[in-house]
């Protein structure tokens, strides 16, 4: 389960092309390297999906050596912009495209088609030394808007709360803003506190949480490590307080969970269609192993 995380940590920092080219820093099997390439697929976007996208691409290329799949991160906004600009065939996104983005794409002659490829929980994480074990969505909102500034206000030690967030280009940032900071209110105007530290990557959040006992952050379930404490979350003060897991996402008891998407420019055809069909069928067998949630309980 963990080897993909080590691989993706490097991929998050640089553009990773899984093309078997030594100059590209990618990785491929001898079988894949020796086959004649008949199709290349560019896959760009969500850092949340990066681990899983890399795992899928590598496995698919072993099984289909005539296909090369190049995977890069950069955030959901980057992937969607690349789709709109016609520079990627598949955009990974941890959020839905906005109406403005869809309109812009159509002005460019592109009709985006969305595919749900996995599920995810946004885990709320803290330092292992932090005694707080559970928070409500309201308390999280109050912390991230600056109304709660010390851990003692939520049953912890008298430490200042250090807020960590992904950057605004991240789909995870937008989802957390809408569903936690604004508590799902479509007309909400709440914003992240200006004291919030915006981290450029999931690895940045993880590193800061590990070294600073005052921090609180959030990230996709696939990026949570044993060096972080996951906080149980409740929709209200009466509970239940639930920790993120495959089970609690599938049974919908964890309050902060979401689908993950791949977008194409129009209905996919050829090798792109074959790859997406595989991702949503046999590819689901990899999802749990990489730390995400499959579309169904049996992983199919």
């Amino acid at each position: 389960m963990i080897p993909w995380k080590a691989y993706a940590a490097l991929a998050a920092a640089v553009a990773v092309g899984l093309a078997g080219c030594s100059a590209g820093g990618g990785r491929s099997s001898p079988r894949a390297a020796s086959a004649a390439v008949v199709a290349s697929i560019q896959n760009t976007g969500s850092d949340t999906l990066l681990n899983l996208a890399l795992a899928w691409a590598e496995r698919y290329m072993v099984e289909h050596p005539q296909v090369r799949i190049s995977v890069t991160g950069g955030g959901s906004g980057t992937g969607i912009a690349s789709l709109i600009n016609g520079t990627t065939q598949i955009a990974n996104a941890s959020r839905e495209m906005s109406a403005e983005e869809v309109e812009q794409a159509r002005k460019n002659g592109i009709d985006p088609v969305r595919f749900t490829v996995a599920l995810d929980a946004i885990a709320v994480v803290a330092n292992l030394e932090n005694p707080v074990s559970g928070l409500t969505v309201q308390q999280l909102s109050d912390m991230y808007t600056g109304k709660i500034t010390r851990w003692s206000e939520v049953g912890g030690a008298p430490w200042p709360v250090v807020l960590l967030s992904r950057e605004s280009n991240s789909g995870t940032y937008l989802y957390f803003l809408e569903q936690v900071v604004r508590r799902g209110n479509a007309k909400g105007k709440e914003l992240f506190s200006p004291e919030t530290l915006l981290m450029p990557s999931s690895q940045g959040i993880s590193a800061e949480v590990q070294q600073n006992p005052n921090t609180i952050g959030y990230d996709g379930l696939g990026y949570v490590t044993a060096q972080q404490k996951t906080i149980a979350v409740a929709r209200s003060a009466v509970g239940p307080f639930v920790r993120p897991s495959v089970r609690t996402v599938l049974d919908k008891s964890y309050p902060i969970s979401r689908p993950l998407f791949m977008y194409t420019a129009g209905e996919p055809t050829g090798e792109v269609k074959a790859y997406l069909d595989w991702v949503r069928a046999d590819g689901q067998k990899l999802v749990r192993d990489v730390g995400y949630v499959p579309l169904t309980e049996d992983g199919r």
Side-chain angles (χ1 to χ4, degrees), residues 99-284:
E100 292 80 8
E101 288 167 335
V102 172
E103 181 181 359
Q104 186 179 355
R106 289 175 176 163
K107 285 181 179 178
N108 289 352
I110 292 169
D111 189 16
V113 177
R114 186 185 73 203
F115 296 87
T116 303
V117 294
L119 306 175
D120 188 32
I122 296 182
V124 178
V125 293
N127 187 274
L128 291 174
E129 297 179 16
N130 194 317
V132 174
S133 59
L135 293 167
T136 66
V137 171
Q138 181 67 62
Q139 286 173 320
L140 286 168
S141 176
D142 289 345
M143 293 171 87
Y144 271 92
T145 54
K147 295 177 182 177
I148 292 176
T149 60
R150 304 193 76 82
W151 283 103
S152 55
E153 297 176 69
V154 291
W159 303 331
V161 175
V162 176
L163 302 167
L164 304 177
S165 170
R166 288 299 312 279
E167 292 181 316
S168 58
N169 191 49
S170 163
T172 303
Y173 167 99
L174 185 60
Y175 187 89
F176 196 86
L177 172 65
E178 293 174 347
Q179 300 302 319
V180 178
V181 176
R182 295 175 178 168
R183 304 181 311 283
N185 179 6
K187 297 182 179 180
K189 302 297 183 183
E190 294 88 350
L191 297 173
F192 283 92
S193 164
E195 303 299 318
T196 306
L197 302 177
L198 302 181
M199 310 301 288
S201 67
S202 297
Q203 289 78 16
I205 287 179
S206 179
E208 190 65 24
V209 166
Q210 289 178 45
Q211 69 184 13
N212 188 339
N214 299 343
T215 52
I216 185 169
Y218 61 89
D219 217 337
L221 183 59
Y223 284 91
V224 176
T225 71
Q227 287 70 50
Q228 300 168 314
K229 177 178 184 175
T230 57
I231 302 293
V233 179
R235 291 182 172 86
S236 70
V238 298
F241 288 81
V242 181
R243 283 190 166 82
S245 69
V246 171
R247 179 184 61 79
T248 59
V249 171
L250 286 170
D251 68 16
K252 298 180 170 39
S253 61
Y254 185 68
I256 321 173
S257 58
R258 57 181 175 168
L260 301 174
F261 307 114
M262 286 182 168
Y263 281 90
T264 60
E267 288 292 342
T269 59
E271 292 294 346
V272 173
K273 181 181 186 303
Y275 179 54
L276 283 168
D277 287 346
W278 178 89
V279 161
R280 289 165 49 83
D282 288 350
Q284 292 295 302

Side-chain angles (χ1 to χ4, degrees), residues 1-5 8 49-56 221-223 283 285-293:
M1 174 175 174
I2 301 301
W4 298 110
K5 292 186 178 180
L49 255 173
L50 185 59
N51 284 3
L52 186 52
L54 286 165
W56 276 332
L221 183 59
Y223 284 91
K285 298 173 185 176
L286 293 177
V287 175
R288 289 177 190 252
D289 293 340
V290 193
Y292 298 75
V293 182

